[in-house]
Amino acid sequence: MPHISRRRFLGGVAATTAAAGVAAATGFSRVGATTAPAPLPVTEENRRVVIIGSGFGGSVAALRLAQAGVPVLLLERGIRWPTGPNADTFSHMYSPDKRCAWLSTSPTLTSTPPAVFDRYPGVIDRVHGDGLDIICGAGVGGGSLVYHGMTLEPTEPLFAEVLPQLDYAPMHRTYYPRVASMLRPATIPDDVLNSKQYLSNQIFIDHITAAGLTPSRIPMPINWDYARAELAGVMKPAYTTGDVTYGVNNGGKHSLDVTYLAAAEATGRLEIATLHVVQDVALNAQGKWVVSANQINTGGDTVAQKVITADAVFMGAGVAGTTRLLMKAQGKGTIPDLPDSLGTQVGTNGDRIYAWVNIPQNTGALQGGPACIGVKDWANPSQAITVVHGPVPVPIESHIMTIIGFGVTPVRGSFQYDSATDDAVVHYPHDTETVLNQAIHDKILQITGSTIGVLIDTTETDPTTFHPLGGAPLGSVTDLYGRVQGHRGLYVMDGSLIPGSAGACNPSMTIAAVAERNIEKIVHTDVGSVF
Ligand SMILES: Cc1cc2nc3c(=O)[nH]c(=O)nc-3n(C[C@H](O)[C@H](O)[C@H](O)COP(=O)(O)OP(=O)(O)OC[C@H]3O[C@@H](n4cnc5c(N)ncnc54)[C@H](O)[C@@H]3O)c2cc1C
């Protein structure tokens, strides 16, 4: 496919529309901008394949397509975050700055101290909804930049609870191991766990054992030698002070930018365009896909527009990104006949965050992390729960620990498109997880002991999820390989495919394993015929 690139300039109304587009896409707008907008350059080009978003689904697709000889353009709204020993790449948890939040003037996580700063394409976005806000990563590597990295594979019965349309055996035999070979998960070693920085984890283990449950070290995509180097004073603290949720400054984390994407770029066939916020995806009269993106600067202002015509588009913008883009296309009719089930089967993975406060014993200042100790209470698949401890990275003895639970949740959330705002918003019934919430609460209470400290359900007062799933469910909106029904060359690769729950496991491993499965099939059957 020849690559044609043309430039022209857009001013007046069109430029204003582009700026409004980025505001709609990001949920933010400039206040007080009164001067006439300068003309915006517009670039038109043809590509064989465009991937939107560089999270788990997008990165897996990028690597496997590039390895199959297919040139790929990946559009990512965020920036690159290069780390290394003693780097100062990311914002710190206890002194947040503009790098912590996506085009916001204050932190988007309520667990962070308050701050005011300039807009910047920071690493965490908060997508507001009705009854639920979605918290997600933004940048090259998507959620892997900010995730703690808990990497769990569900058992066969748990997998069947949430993805009965897929055969577990090949997933277990081939695709989960394929992901593991790239992300290299490892459990926390004894010497790190037994250090004084990891006191809160030791307390958690003691409580789990006293409750008659079995503690579990959760596999993490981490080179634990970095934590050792921090303990030895060779590297500035990051892991060992729990300063991880805005990214790990030292590196040593096998995030997607240094694994899948680095390998894809090494083929010479992947081009990543950062600071490109996709606004719309459409089907043209020739049956090609047209992707419109605003190129922004680090202040969030649109500086150029791109219109890219492609043979194939892979949606990897995460649940909030992918589902909203497809629903915009459905609402405006720019992609006709999208399945009616688009936007449905949205769930939170049951994600519930508790603060355990007023603990009498010391729990340690700047608790070591990431969250890597838990309980897998999976005996009954339909009521399976995982409970983990997350570090509290405050620089004083707080007598607080964070405890997170999740399980197999009902999938009653949905996105709905509003033509007035040209955006789709997630709606989440408040009582969706009443039974699961109670079960998570009871399990955590069993661990903490009912007379020690006080448990506060922070998700009740701030309904958010780090684990959004669904919106373009596999076998419904798409076929069983992520091809959008009735639309040759349009694919969904990310968490939108998984209906609401990852089987009482953190979702990244299953998102990546399903993406590995699907892209293998697509490379065999669609490369050379569809694109
Ligand atoms: C703080 C935190 C901790 C977490 N901890 C864990 C954990 O320990 N284990 C685990 O398994 N999961 C964890 N998760 C969840 C995990 O990060 C997500 O499930 C996973 O990243 C989702 O993968 P994805 O491929 O669906 O999309 P994402 O990883 O969300 O990637 C989507 C990408 O698309 C980009 N994008 C979005 N919209 C556009 C657009 N319009 N134009 C261009 N680009 C766009 C985004 O910037 C992003 O890079 C955590 C999440 C958070 C926020």
Side-chain angles (χ1 to χ4, degrees), residues 7 30 55 75 79 81 83 89 109 126 142 220 258 284 304 321 324 326 331 342 354 369 397 457 490:
R7 296 199 98 198
R30 277 275 194 216
L75 302 174
I79 61 174
W81 298 88
T83 59
T89 304
L109 289 183
R126 181 180 187 124
M220 313 293 292
V258 296
N284 72 12
R324 285 158 75 209
L326 290 178
L342 183 64
Y354 279 83
E397 173 53 62
D457 180 353
L490 183 61

Side-chain angles (χ1 to χ4, degrees), residues 313-376:
V313 170
F314 288 76
M315 306 295 298
V319 168
T322 290
T323 309
R324 285 158 75 209
L325 282 169
L326 290 178
M327 292 198 78
K328 280 174 78 173
Q330 185 183 50
K332 291 188 285 195
T334 57
I335 304 177
D337 302 322
L338 281 167
D340 291 343
S341 53
L342 183 64
T344 65
Q345 298 194 37
V346 175
T348 64
N349 205 29
D351 194 14
R352 211 78 191 171
I353 302 177
Y354 279 83
W356 183 22
V357 305
N358 294 342
I359 305 169
Q361 71 193 107
N362 285 354
T363 53
L366 297 168
Q367 297 167 2
C372 58
I373 300 291
V375 174
K376 296 189 285 186

